[in-house]
Amino acid sequence: MKSTKSKSRVTPKTRHAAPPSEQNVPYRKPALRSQAFARALIDAKACLNDSETLLALFNDAAKKAAVVPREPFKECWPYLQTMLRLVRAHHRGEYDRVPDNALLWIVAALNYLIDPFDLIPDATPVLGFVDDATVIEFVTDKTR
């Protein structure tokens, strides 16, 4: 009589999905992990220490906001406009109640907005401003 070896049951390892709270972590969005956003943060730190650079950033961002399509920004559009007004008021010395950390994030978002060669270059039809809108939305949520 033939003896049969019993196969040991091996339960397959299953990957657990991240809990819902971790699935929407903003840093997981590619635009926020991109080199372009890292550059925007570094530039923001330098910009905050130089009044002329901050004014130039405001002017460039205001010009860009005037010509970008609003559709990708959806409900964040008013917040982008508020960010611009806040930077202008801060530069003029009219408003200084914004925390330094919040101002840093806002300036970084505006730096990202004016960068034509960010994660998705702005010249790319339809998608060119989706990453910019993602960054604006993230900063809005972070600083609100």
Side-chain angles (χ1 to χ4, degrees):
M1 182 182 224
K2 220 178 192 184
S3 67
T4 59
K5 288 186 179 178
S6 63
K7 292 184 179 179
S8 63
R9 289 189 168 190
V10 177
T11 56
K13 292 183 181 179
T14 58
R15 289 190 170 189
H16 298 286
S21 62
E22 290 180 15
Q23 288 178 347
N24 295 324
V25 174
Y27 285 105
R28 291 188 179 194
K29 295 182 179 180
L32 299 169
R33 294 184 323 222
S34 69
Q35 288 180 350
F37 189 66
R39 242 186 355 258
L41 275 169
I42 291 168
D43 291 347
K45 288 177 185 176
C47 191
L48 289 176
N49 297 324
D50 184 2
S51 181
E52 289 181 29
T53 306
L54 187 62
L55 180 61
L57 169 69
F58 166 76
N59 289 331
D60 291 345
K63 287 176 190 172
K64 183 84 172 241
V67 298
V68 298
R70 292 184 183 191
E71 296 84 37
F73 294 89
K74 298 177 186 166
E75 60 274 349
C76 289
W77 185 257
Y79 293 104
L80 171 58
Q81 300 302 311
T82 301
M83 287 178 192
L84 289 167
R85 287 192 306 274
L86 178 76
V87 169
R88 181 180 57 207
H90 178 78
H91 174 264
R92 291 178 176 172
E94 297 169 353
Y95 187 76
D96 61 355
R97 291 185 175 177
V98 61
D100 291 341
N101 194 37
L103 188 61
L104 174 70
W105 285 105
I106 290 168
V107 170
L110 295 179
N111 271 326
Y112 192 88
L113 177 71
I114 65 170
D115 185 357
F117 302 107
D118 46 28
L119 183 64
I120 303 172
D122 295 346
T124 305
V126 182
L127 297 176
F129 294 104
V130 170
D131 60 324
D132 297 356
T134 299
V135 169
I136 297 295
E137 179 182 14
F138 167 75
V139 170
T140 297
D141 291 342
K142 188 163 184 65
T143 59
R144 199 180 311 180

